[in-house]
PDB file of all heavy atoms in Angstrom:
ATOM      1  N   ARG U1271       3.963  -4.832  -3.917  1.00 98.00           N
ATOM      2  CA  ARG U1271       5.206  -4.140  -4.471  1.00 98.00           C
ATOM      3  C   ARG U1271       4.836  -2.865  -5.250  1.00 98.00           C
ATOM      4  O   ARG U1271       5.717  -2.243  -5.815  1.00 98.00           O
ATOM      5  CB  ARG U1271       5.925  -5.076  -5.408  1.00 98.00           C
ATOM      6  CG  ARG U1271       6.466  -6.287  -4.770  1.00 98.00           C
ATOM      7  CD  ARG U1271       7.326  -7.087  -5.754  1.00 98.00           C
ATOM      8  NE  ARG U1271       7.997  -8.190  -4.991  1.00 98.00           N
ATOM      9  CZ  ARG U1271       8.334  -9.342  -5.517  1.00 98.00           C
ATOM     10  NH1 ARG U1271       8.075  -9.621  -6.737  1.00 98.00           N
ATOM     11  NH2 ARG U1271       8.882 -10.215  -4.743  1.00 98.00           N
ATOM     12  N   GLY U1272       3.489  -2.560  -5.353  1.00 98.00           N
ATOM     13  CA  GLY U1272       3.087  -1.400  -6.107  1.00 98.00           C
ATOM     14  C   GLY U1272       3.357  -1.407  -7.567  1.00 98.00           C
ATOM     15  O   GLY U1272       3.377  -0.333  -8.188  1.00 98.00           O
ATOM     16  N   GLU U1273       3.420  -2.612  -8.146  1.00 98.00           N
ATOM     17  CA  GLU U1273       3.658  -2.633  -9.597  1.00 98.00           C
ATOM     18  C   GLU U1273       3.154  -3.950 -10.178  1.00 98.00           C
ATOM     19  O   GLU U1273       3.123  -5.002  -9.556  1.00 98.00           O
ATOM     20  CB  GLU U1273       5.178  -2.579  -9.913  1.00 98.00           C
ATOM     21  CG  GLU U1273       5.899  -3.687  -9.361  1.00 98.00           C
ATOM     22  CD  GLU U1273       7.451  -3.500  -9.492  1.00 98.00           C
ATOM     23  OE1 GLU U1273       7.890  -2.332  -9.732  1.00 98.00           O
ATOM     24  OE2 GLU U1273       8.193  -4.496  -9.351  1.00 98.00           O
ATOM     25  N   TYR U1274       2.601  -3.857 -11.377  1.00 99.00           N
ATOM     26  CA  TYR U1274       2.241  -5.126 -12.001  1.00 99.00           C
ATOM     27  C   TYR U1274       3.468  -5.805 -12.588  1.00 99.00           C
ATOM     28  O   TYR U1274       4.451  -5.090 -12.990  1.00 99.00           O
ATOM     29  CB  TYR U1274       1.327  -4.769 -13.316  1.00 99.00           C
ATOM     30  CG  TYR U1274      -0.136  -4.488 -12.964  1.00 99.00           C
ATOM     31  CD1 TYR U1274      -0.721  -3.275 -13.317  1.00 99.00           C
ATOM     32  CD2 TYR U1274      -0.835  -5.415 -12.219  1.00 99.00           C
ATOM     33  CE1 TYR U1274      -2.095  -3.023 -12.899  1.00 99.00           C
ATOM     34  CE2 TYR U1274      -2.183  -5.175 -11.887  1.00 99.00           C
ATOM     35  CZ  TYR U1274      -2.769  -3.960 -12.201  1.00 99.00           C
ATOM     36  OH  TYR U1274      -4.029  -3.740 -11.809  1.00 99.00           O
ATOM     37  N   PRO U1275       3.457  -7.136 -12.601  1.00 98.00           N
ATOM     38  CA  PRO U1275       4.727  -7.854 -13.136  1.00 98.00           C
ATOM     39  C   PRO U1275       4.874  -7.529 -14.593  1.00 98.00           C
ATOM     40  O   PRO U1275       3.921  -7.660 -15.346  1.00 98.00           O
ATOM     41  CB  PRO U1275       4.347  -9.317 -12.807  1.00 98.00           C
ATOM     42  CG  PRO U1275       2.918  -9.445 -12.626  1.00 98.00           C
ATOM     43  CD  PRO U1275       2.477  -8.089 -12.157  1.00 98.00           C
ATOM     44  N   ALA U1276       6.161  -7.202 -14.930  1.00 98.00           N
ATOM     45  CA  ALA U1276       6.406  -6.643 -16.323  1.00 98.00           C
ATOM     46  C   ALA U1276       6.096  -7.799 -17.347  1.00 98.00           C
ATOM     47  O   ALA U1276       5.548  -7.490 -18.346  1.00 98.00           O
ATOM     48  CB  ALA U1276       7.887  -6.229 -16.385  1.00 98.00           C
ATOM     49  N   ASP U1277       6.399  -9.008 -17.057  1.00 98.00           N
ATOM     50  CA  ASP U1277       6.211 -10.091 -18.090  1.00 98.00           C
ATOM     51  C   ASP U1277       4.779 -10.244 -18.364  1.00 98.00           C
ATOM     52  O   ASP U1277       4.317 -10.416 -19.552  1.00 98.00           O
ATOM     53  CB  ASP U1277       6.846 -11.407 -17.548  1.00 98.00           C
ATOM     54  CG  ASP U1277       6.232 -11.958 -16.237  1.00 98.00           C
ATOM     55  OD1 ASP U1277       5.839 -11.058 -15.383  1.00 98.00           O
ATOM     56  OD2 ASP U1277       6.041 -13.171 -16.083  1.00 98.00           O
ATOM     57  N   MET U1278       3.871 -10.114 -17.347  1.00 98.00           N
ATOM     58  CA  MET U1278       2.383 -10.279 -17.590  1.00 98.00           C
ATOM     59  C   MET U1278       1.821  -8.992 -18.260  1.00 98.00           C
ATOM     60  O   MET U1278       0.898  -9.211 -19.077  1.00 98.00           O
ATOM     61  CB  MET U1278       1.726 -10.480 -16.211  1.00 98.00           C
ATOM     62  CG  MET U1278       2.034 -11.873 -15.678  1.00 98.00           C
ATOM     63  SD  MET U1278       1.964 -13.324 -16.813  1.00 98.00           S
ATOM     64  CE  MET U1278       0.196 -13.320 -17.154  1.00 98.00           C
ATOM     65  N   ALA U1279       2.366  -7.882 -17.836  1.00 98.00           N
ATOM     66  CA  ALA U1279       1.828  -6.659 -18.487  1.00 98.00           C
ATOM     67  C   ALA U1279       2.144  -6.667 -19.959  1.00 98.00           C
ATOM     68  O   ALA U1279       1.254  -6.354 -20.801  1.00 98.00           O
ATOM     69  CB  ALA U1279       2.495  -5.385 -17.916  1.00 98.00           C
ATOM     70  N   ALA U1280       3.288  -7.238 -20.298  1.00 98.00           N
ATOM     71  CA  ALA U1280       3.735  -7.301 -21.718  1.00 98.00           C
ATOM     72  C   ALA U1280       2.753  -8.347 -22.423  1.00 98.00           C
ATOM     73  O   ALA U1280       2.291  -8.149 -23.500  1.00 98.00           O
ATOM     74  CB  ALA U1280       5.121  -7.734 -21.863  1.00 98.00           C
ATOM     75  N   LEU U1281       2.550  -9.494 -21.697  1.00 98.00           N
ATOM     76  CA  LEU U1281       1.647 -10.484 -22.294  1.00 98.00           C
ATOM     77  C   LEU U1281       0.227  -9.994 -22.581  1.00 98.00           C
ATOM     78  O   LEU U1281      -0.369 -10.149 -23.667  1.00 98.00           O
ATOM     79  CB  LEU U1281       1.627 -11.750 -21.382  1.00 98.00           C
ATOM     80  CG  LEU U1281       0.661 -12.891 -21.910  1.00 98.00           C
ATOM     81  CD1 LEU U1281       1.093 -13.411 -23.327  1.00 98.00           C
ATOM     82  CD2 LEU U1281       0.570 -13.934 -20.935  1.00 98.00           C
ATOM     83  N   PHE U1282      -0.341  -9.339 -21.588  1.00 98.00           N
ATOM     84  CA  PHE U1282      -1.699  -8.720 -21.713  1.00 98.00           C
ATOM     85  C   PHE U1282      -1.678  -7.739 -22.786  1.00 98.00           C
ATOM     86  O   PHE U1282      -2.638  -7.671 -23.540  1.00 98.00           O
ATOM     87  CB  PHE U1282      -2.170  -8.196 -20.336  1.00 98.00           C
ATOM     88  CG  PHE U1282      -2.652  -9.229 -19.326  1.00 98.00           C
ATOM     89  CD1 PHE U1282      -2.233  -9.100 -17.939  1.00 98.00           C
ATOM     90  CD2 PHE U1282      -3.286 -10.300 -19.742  1.00 98.00           C
ATOM     91  CE1 PHE U1282      -2.720  -9.979 -17.110  1.00 98.00           C
ATOM     92  CE2 PHE U1282      -3.729 -11.238 -18.777  1.00 98.00           C
ATOM     93  CZ  PHE U1282      -3.417 -11.147 -17.474  1.00 98.00           C
TER      94      PHE U1282
END
Side-chain angles (χ1 to χ4, degrees):
R1271 297 184 173 154
E1273 59 188 21
Y1274 281 122
D1277 60 326
M1278 292 310 295
L1281 176 64
F1282 283 142

